[in-house]
Amino acid sequence: MTKNGLWTIVGVVVAVVIAWVLVNVIFSLLAFIVKLVIVAVVAAVVFFVLRGMLRRSS
C-alpha cells in the first residue's frame, strides 16, 4: 500500500467521523427546536383556555 493510499483511507475515516458528529449535533438541535415549538403551542392553548374559563366565571 502506498503512502497516498494510506492517507486517503485515513482522510475518509476522519471525514466519516466528523460527518457523524455533525449529523448528531444537527439532529439534536432540530429535536430541541421541535420540542420548544410544541411546548409553546401547548402553553398558548392552555393559556387561552384558562383565560376563557376565568372570564366566564367572573
Side-chain angles (χ1 to χ4, degrees), residues 44-58:
V45 169
V46 169
F47 172 77
F48 287 117
V49 167
L50 287 175
R51 192 170 81 166
M53 289 173 58
L54 291 174
R55 186 174 287 167
R56 279 189 223 138
S57 66
S58 41

Side-chain angles (χ1 to χ4, degrees), residues 7-20:
W7 280 114
T8 300
I9 293 171
V10 170
V12 168
V13 169
V14 169
V16 168
V17 169
I18 291 172
W20 189 276

